């Protein structure tokens, strides 16, 4: 992996001078991405590097200066503090960062996904159509759980995608979209949903040293029917069997906006004595993940590792602390694509999967207008790292 970047064929002329706008909610992620880009572009040998088309290619930072001030009423505006004419701009936004606050009428208000989305639109509006191209990197897709209509209800995710496109956004890159079919709302524009599969496998292998990665000792579990695709992919690449739970719901009642789950029913072969990988797109309250883990333990499963792209932990960490103490779960792996509390990062059961290098690869490649297909399908990289692990070569 160390020298894979050097093998990327980025001889093409960049689309425009690279500019990164990490909104305040994901500033730390944006700075990590920026440091990779600065390092690679300083080291990269390119015969065109001194030509006019490469002006501004090698810089100390690609992060653009901007401001998102608020008035006392809570209203805001976006200001770009430097020229962006002809630039290839990548805007990073974390709509889940509730740790940020602003004052409205003297009261402190925590930023909601709606506030972050509005700030994103303010920055796009401030750019004012002067950029060569705008790509929005929105790891947690705004309103992605409101993607289909079952009654007279809003289709928020589709509306948001269409709104961004109408404002001049060319590409939208998200991670593990709740339902990728929402891209049908913008069929003529770029929409990529990227998986963190490789980073999960790498995180597990680097932190757990005695795994036997074969069908006799490990199994991949989907906690519901909606996440089957993720589990099937990991199971196939690692050569493991797959099992699935489906949620039996009470459709006669609605609690907190949804039909309550009566039971989790399991479909699959015996889990006895095997290590389990439970994979899902998000841990919200964590109830489903922990119920599935408890069901697997009741069926005599061995260790349980939980993979989830987005660790929201909306009801706190206490449930997971207890499950860890009770031996229900062994490790939980989520990414730094959304805000992580300092308390989460300190937990013994938690493994943080850093996605900044991966995002930097995507930005670097797209700025050169090259294909990112090999980045989107990480089969070879997963196979390589598993082989290194088996041979005792993984650092």
């Amino acid at each position: 992996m160390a020298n894979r970047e050097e093998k990327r064929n980025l001889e093409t002329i960049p689309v425009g001078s690279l500019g990164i706008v990490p909104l305040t909610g994901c500033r730390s992620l944006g700075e990590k991405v920026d440091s990779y880009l600065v390092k690679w572009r300083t080291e990269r040998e390119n015969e065109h590097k001194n030509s006019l088309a490469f002006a501004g290619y090698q810089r100390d930072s690609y992060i653009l200066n901007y401001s998102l001030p608020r008035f006392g009423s809570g209203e805001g505006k976006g200001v770009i503090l430097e020229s962006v004419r002809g630039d290839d701009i990548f805007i990073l936004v974390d709509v889940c960062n509730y740790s940020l606050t602003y004052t409205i009428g003297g009261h402190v208000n925590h930023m909601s996904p709606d506030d972050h989305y509005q700030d994103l639109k303010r920055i796009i509006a401030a750019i004012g159509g002067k950029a060569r191209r705008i790509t929005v990197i929105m790891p947690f897709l705004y309103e992605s759980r409101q993607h289909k209509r079952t009654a007279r209800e809003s289709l928020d995710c589709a509306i948001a995608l269409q709104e961004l496109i109408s404002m001049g956004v060319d590409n939208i890159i998200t991670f593990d979209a709740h339902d990728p079919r929402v891209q049908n709302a913008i069929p003529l524009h770029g929409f990529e949903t990227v998986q963190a599969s490789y980073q999960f496998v790498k995180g597990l292998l680097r932190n757990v040293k005695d795994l036997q990665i074969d069908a006799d000792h490990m199994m991949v579990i989907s906690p519901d029917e909606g996440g089957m695709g993720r589990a099937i992919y990991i199971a196939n690449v690692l050569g493991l069997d797959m099992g699935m739970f489906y949620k039996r719901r009470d459709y006669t009642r609605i609690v907190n906006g949804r039909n309550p789950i009566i039971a989790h029913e399991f479909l699959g072969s015996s889990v006895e004595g095997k290590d389990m990988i439970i994979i899902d797109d998000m841990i919200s309250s964590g109830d489903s993940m922990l119920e599935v883990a408890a069901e697997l333990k009741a069926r005599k499963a061995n260790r349980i590792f939980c993979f989830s792209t987005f660790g929201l932990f909306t009801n706190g960490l206490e449930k997971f602390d207890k499950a860890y103490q009770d031996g229900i779960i062994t490790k939980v792996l989520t990414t730094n694509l959304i805000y992580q509390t300092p308390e989460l990062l300190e937990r013994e059961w938690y493994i943080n999967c850093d996605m900044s290098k991966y995002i930097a690869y995507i930005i670097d490649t797209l700025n050169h207008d090259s294909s990112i297909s090999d980045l989107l399908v990480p089969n070879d990289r997963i196979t390589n790292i598993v082989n290194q692990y088996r041979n005792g070569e993984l650092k």
Side-chain angles (χ1 to χ4, degrees):
M1 272 301 293
N3 61 358
R4 197 171 68 85
E5 197 279 331
E6 292 158 22
K7 297 175 188 171
R8 296 197 70 73
N9 181 22
L10 298 179
E11 293 293 313
T12 52
I13 291 172
V15 170
S17 187
L18 176 60
I20 304 172
V21 183
L23 297 196
T24 319
C26 63
R27 184 81 192 186
S28 60
L29 179 65
E31 286 170 351
K32 284 183 179 177
V33 170
D34 183 51
S35 66
Y36 278 116
L37 291 166
V38 169
K39 177 177 179 289
W40 296 340
R41 293 193 168 196
T42 303
E43 294 171 355
R44 181 172 293 146
E45 296 298 326
N46 192 308
E47 59 180 307
H48 307 295
K49 207 167 177 179
N50 298 318
S51 74
L52 194 61
F54 272 62
Y57 186 76
Q58 194 176 313
R59 300 208 300 273
D60 293 336
S61 175
Y62 299 95
I63 294 177
L64 301 177
N65 291 317
Y66 69 92
S67 176
L68 285 163
R70 294 253 177 193
F71 302 102
S73 60
E75 298 165 284
K77 67 177 177 180
V79 186
I80 295 285
L81 299 168
E82 58 186 283
S83 172
V84 293
R85 190 176 295 276
D87 285 2
D88 186 18
I89 292 181
F90 293 80
I91 307 174
L92 279 73
V93 56
D94 172 13
V95 298
C96 295
N97 192 340
Y98 57 85
S99 71
L100 302 179
T101 58
Y102 61 94
T103 305
I104 175 167
H107 299 280
V108 174
N109 203 18
H110 283 264
M111 287 186 73
S112 72
D114 295 345
D115 288 315
H116 288 292
Y117 177 62
Q118 205 65 27
D119 276 354
L120 168 65
K121 291 196 293 181
R122 288 181 176 121
I123 288 297
I124 296 167
I127 290 167
K130 299 299 183 284
R132 178 74 47 85
R133 188 172 68 177
I134 297 176
T135 300
V136 169
I137 299 179
M138 186 189 285
F140 186 100
L141 188 60
Y142 173 70
E143 289 291 347
S144 56
R145 284 188 279 185
Q146 192 47 40
H147 61 96
K148 66 178 188 289
R149 182 178 276 157
T150 52
R152 277 290 139 238
E153 58 188 40
S154 56
L155 287 168
D156 296 38
C157 191
I159 289 170
L161 292 176
Q162 291 184 352
E163 194 172 21
L164 291 175
I165 294 303
S166 72
M167 292 184 75
V169 172
D170 295 277
N171 298 299
I172 295 166
I173 295 172
T174 189
F175 282 76
D176 210 351
H178 194 63
D179 186 344
R181 289 173 295 184
V182 77
Q183 67 189 288
N184 292 335
I186 50 166
L188 302 181
H189 287 79
F191 180 98
E192 300 289 354
T193 176
V194 187
Q195 299 295 326
S197 312
Y198 169 70
Q199 284 77 11
F200 285 140
V201 173
K202 182 167 74 171
L204 182 66
L205 300 187
R206 282 196 168 155
N207 288 278
V208 183
K209 297 302 177 193
D210 57 344
L211 295 168
Q212 288 182 273
I213 307 167
D214 59 54
D216 294 329
H217 299 93
M218 273 186 107
M219 197 166 170
V220 183
I221 305 292
S222 174
D224 56 33
E225 61 278 18
M228 284 276 286
R230 290 179 204 94
I232 289 171
Y233 178 76
I234 289 278
N236 284 344
V237 178
L238 295 180
L240 308 177
D241 288 336
M242 196 210 89
M244 184 198 101
F245 283 85
Y246 70 90
K247 295 167 182 171
R248 195 137 49 89
R249 294 182 182 272
D250 181 356
Y251 286 103
T252 63
R253 295 186 300 136
I254 294 179
V255 179
N256 294 331
R258 57 200 318 181
N259 304 104
I261 298 165
I262 306 166
H264 289 84
E265 303 289 356
F266 181 65
L267 302 173
S269 56
S270 171
V271 303
E272 188 172 345
K274 295 179 184 176
D275 290 332
M276 300 284 118
I277 294 173
I278 308 174
I279 184 162
D280 207 357
D281 61 335
M282 68 180 75
I283 293 173
S284 187
S285 67
D287 288 346
S288 290
M289 187 74 87
L290 294 177
E291 283 169 22
V292 165
E295 291 280 350
L296 290 169
K297 276 293 182 185
R299 290 170 170 80
K300 299 182 180 175
N302 191 20
R303 293 173 295 183
I304 293 181
F305 306 104
C306 305
F307 291 3
S308 182
T309 309
F310 306 108
L312 299 168
F313 300 102
T314 53
N315 292 356
L317 304 174
E318 289 72 22
K319 287 179 189 171
F320 283 86
D321 290 338
K322 187 173 187 315
Y324 176 65
Q325 287 161 10
D326 295 346
I328 305 280
I329 58 169
T330 303
K331 294 287 182 186
V332 177
L333 293 80
T334 73
T335 70
N336 64 338
L337 292 170
I338 60 169
Y339 172 67
Q340 298 159 301
T341 62
E343 294 77 29
L344 174 65
L345 295 170
E346 289 168 1
R347 288 301 197 268
E348 195 178 345
W349 45 262
Y350 182 66
I351 297 172
N352 173 29
C353 299
D354 183 10
M355 301 297 291
S356 56
K357 191 175 190 181
Y358 195 23
I359 293 172
Y361 278 137
I362 291 170
I363 290 174
D364 199 21
T365 310
L366 287 178
N367 179 234
H368 279 266
D369 230 5
S370 296
S371 171
I372 59 170
S373 300
D374 64 315
L375 291 170
L376 301 180
V377 186
N379 313 359
D380 292 342
R381 283 180 294 153
I382 293 174
T383 305
N384 288 341
I385 201 166
V386 169
N387 288 337
Q388 285 176 30
Y389 182 84
R390 284 177 173 146
N391 297 332
E393 298 165 1
L394 187 63
K395 295 174 184 176

